[in-house]
């Protein structure tokens, strides 16, 4: 298939898949936690586990990439199988509404959505031109944002009318995963480039061998931990009577889904353009500042005006974070190693996504939620300082093929 045809077909089905991705985003950020808090009245551990489900998938990505590579399966087909499996898992929760089943199956479903990301990033590397990859990504993300905002509105109204409708909500999420699988199976792709060695986590060697990659990962660990620690606490802050707001599900969906997504919609094309043309590390530093402001102001607000403004600032930063998080490895990784680099990035995202929500709920049980927000801002400041020396490299696109290395641990 010609490059232009491959790009057009990928973009078309990614546009379709973005509708489902928006629906699934609301599951991870809003509705699964609302169901855990309001229907199951779940404890801190259960709520933290539900919030960490996506992180389970991220944590598994090096293994997933290694298995897909060994199976010589086209990456889009493998990603489709993962999405279909996640859909079946969450469908079980819709029919068996018990807390333990809900926690386990939603973890599996969200894990499936996370596990496919390095495979999809490799598709973007192979099928989208270097000069417009960020713009293509941002356009499909705009569809995802509209979908997420619309479903936040409709889903919030559904649960506000009767929280017992949560089973129907879970069925919607299962259908979205099934549709994602269908779209992925129609995107042209090839098997991953074979690596030397058989270590299932062999991609982690790039942390040792690539200094810029290592520094950026450390910075991202600090910033991402701070953000992921506070993200589920947004729903906790708005829903839990402890904080005296106790807002209705539709208002919570407005503040955690609709308002931030409107901000993301407006700024996504701008961030996509900047990703293709600007110094990556300057862009990342600007995003860090926005995240810090959005997080601290949200948890210091107790008025609707303050909460809306904070959600707007946070959404503006998330718009750029979407593009930067999803594509930054294409700036520095050898083309045939993009899935490997991305799997390392998502692996460490998984580490923090597994731990951060649980720690966030534990910390806020002892500290005020505002103090927890300030702690998050300090971590983001540390992440920003780490990136300052890298600015001089941020305008470079490194496409040098890395020398083959033995599997990590082979010499130990």
């Amino acid at each position: 298939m010609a490059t232009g045809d491959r790009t057009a077909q990928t973009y078309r089905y990614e546009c379709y898949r973005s509708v489902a991705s928006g629906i699934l985003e609301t599951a991870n950020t809003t509705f699964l936690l609302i169901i855990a808090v309001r229907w199951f009245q779940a404890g801190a551990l259960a709520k933290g586990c539900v919030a960490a489900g996506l992180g389970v998938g991220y944590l598994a990505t090096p293994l997933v990439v290694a298995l897909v590579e060994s199976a010589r399966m086209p990456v889009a087909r493998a990603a489709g199988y993962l999405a279909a499996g996640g859909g079946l898992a969450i469908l079980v929760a819709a029919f068996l509404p018990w807390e333990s089943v809900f926690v386990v199956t939603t973890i599996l479903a969200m894990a499936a959505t996370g596990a496919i990301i390095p495979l999809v990033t490799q598709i973007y590397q192979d099928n989208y031109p270097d000069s417009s990859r960020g713009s293509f990504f941002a356009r499909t993300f705009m569809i995802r944002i509209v979908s997420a905002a619309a479903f936040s509105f409709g889903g919030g109204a559904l649960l506000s009318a009767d929280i017992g409708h949560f089973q129907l909500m879970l069925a919607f999420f299962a259908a979205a995963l099934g549709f994602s699988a269908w779209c992925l199976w129609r995107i042209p792709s090839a098997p991953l480039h074979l690596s030397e060695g058989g270590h299932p986590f062999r991609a982690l060697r790039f942390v040792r061998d690539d200094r810029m990659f290592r520094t950026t990962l450390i910075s991202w660990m600090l910033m991402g931990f701070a953000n992921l620690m506070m993200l589920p606490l947004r729903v906790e802050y708005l829903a839990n009577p402890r904080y005296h707001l106790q807002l209705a599900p539709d208002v919570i969906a407005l503040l955690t889904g609709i308002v931030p997504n409107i901000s993301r919609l407006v700024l996504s094309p701008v961030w996509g353009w900047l990703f293709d043309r600007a110094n990556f590390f300057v862009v990342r530093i600007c995003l860090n500042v926005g995240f810090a402001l959005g997080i601290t102001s949200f948890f210091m607000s107790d008025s609707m005006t303050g909460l809306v403004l904070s959600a707007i600032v946070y959404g503006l930063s998330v718009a750029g974070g979407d593009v930067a998080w999803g594509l930054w490895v294409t700036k520095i990784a050898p083309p045939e190693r993009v899935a490997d680099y991305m799997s390392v990035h998502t692996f460490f995202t998984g580490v923090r996504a597994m731990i951060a929500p649980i720690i966030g709920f534990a910390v806020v049980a002892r500290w005020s939620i505002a103090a927890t927000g300030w702690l998050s801002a300090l971590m983001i400041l540390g992440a920003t300082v780490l990136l300052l020396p890298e600015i001089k490299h941020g305008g470079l696109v490194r496409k040098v093929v890395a020398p083959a290395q033995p599997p990590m641990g082979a010499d130990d």
Side-chain angles (χ1 to χ4, degrees), residues 29-48 50-51 99 102-103 159 163 166 232-243 246-247 249 252 361:
T29 60
T30 303
F31 291 120
L32 294 181
L33 274 173
I34 288 178
I35 293 166
V37 172
R38 289 289 174 85
W39 179 263
F40 292 109
Q41 299 180 355
L45 179 60
K47 289 183 289 189
V50 170
E99 181 178 339
F102 172 79
V103 172
L159 294 185
I163 192 67
F166 77 93
L233 292 180
R234 290 171 170 266
V235 175
E236 177 80 358
Y237 180 54
L238 301 175
N240 197 319
R242 173 186 175 186
Y243 303 108
Q246 204 170 353
L247 302 178
I252 296 172
F361 280 112

Side-chain angles (χ1 to χ4, degrees), residues 148-281:
F151 196 80
S152 291
F153 180 81
L158 182 68
L159 294 185
S160 291
D162 184 353
I163 192 67
H165 289 148
F166 77 93
Q167 290 171 274
L168 179 59
M169 182 77 71
L170 296 178
F172 280 131
F173 296 145
L177 279 161
F179 182 69
S180 292
W182 180 84
C183 292
L184 287 163
W185 285 330
R186 280 153 182 78
I187 292 175
S189 67
L192 293 171
H193 185 83
L194 282 171
S195 303
E196 293 184 11
H199 195 293
F201 288 89
R202 56 186 173 267
L204 292 174
R205 71 182 184 270
F206 295 117
V207 181
R208 177 192 62 198
D209 300 332
D210 191 326
R211 184 203 59 79
M212 185 188 297
F213 185 49
R214 181 172 61 250
T215 300
T216 309
L217 284 174
I218 294 170
S219 172
W220 223 299
M221 179 63 79
L222 285 170
M223 184 274 156
F225 193 97
N227 184 42
L228 291 170
M229 182 174 69
M230 302 308 296
L231 189 60
L233 292 180
R234 290 171 170 266
V235 175
E236 177 80 358
Y237 180 54
L238 301 175
N240 197 319
R242 173 186 175 186
Y243 303 108
H244 310 295
L245 293 174
Q246 204 170 353
L247 302 178
D250 55 346
V251 180
I252 296 172
L254 173 74
L255 293 170
T256 62
I258 298 171
V259 172
N261 280 322
I262 291 173
S263 298
R264 290 166 73 196
L265 180 64
V266 173
L267 264 292
S268 279
V270 176
W271 289 116
W273 184 88
L274 287 171
F275 179 85
D276 288 332
R277 293 165 178 80
N279 183 302
F280 167 72
F281 290 106

Side-chain angles (χ1 to χ4, degrees), residues 18-209:
S18 293
V19 177
S21 297
I23 293 171
L24 294 169
E25 182 180 309
T26 69
N28 184 62
T29 60
T30 303
F31 291 120
L32 294 181
L33 274 173
I34 288 178
I35 293 166
V37 172
R38 289 289 174 85
W39 179 263
F40 292 109
Q41 299 180 355
L45 179 60
K47 289 183 289 189
C49 288
V50 170
L54 192 65
V56 175
Y58 292 158
L59 201 61
T61 51
L63 178 59
V64 168
V65 169
L67 290 173
V68 172
E69 180 184 309
S70 299
R72 310 304 299 140
M73 183 183 295
V75 291
R77 181 160 294 278
Y81 284 133
L82 284 167
L88 288 174
I90 204 165
L91 195 60
V92 172
F95 286 101
L96 299 175
W98 308 324
E99 181 178 339
S100 58
V101 174
F102 172 79
V103 172
V104 171
T105 56
T106 55
I107 288 173
L108 291 174
M110 291 300 99
T113 67
I116 70 173
I117 289 176
L119 305 178
V120 174
T121 306
Q122 185 67 56
I123 293 170
Y124 296 154
Q125 169 66 40
D126 295 341
N127 294 358
Y128 287 158
D130 288 346
S131 60
S132 54
R133 188 174 294 120
S135 295
F136 275 116
F137 184 90
R139 287 177 212 158
T140 57
F141 230 91
M142 290 174 70
I143 299 171
R144 173 174 174 165
I145 291 164
V146 172
S147 173
F151 196 80
S152 291
F153 180 81
L158 182 68
L159 294 185
S160 291
D162 184 353
I163 192 67
H165 289 148
F166 77 93
Q167 290 171 274
L168 179 59
M169 182 77 71
L170 296 178
F172 280 131
F173 296 145
L177 279 161
F179 182 69
S180 292
W182 180 84
C183 292
L184 287 163
W185 285 330
R186 280 153 182 78
I187 292 175
S189 67
L192 293 171
H193 185 83
L194 282 171
S195 303
E196 293 184 11
H199 195 293
F201 288 89
R202 56 186 173 267
L204 292 174
R205 71 182 184 270
F206 295 117
V207 181
R208 177 192 62 198
D209 300 332

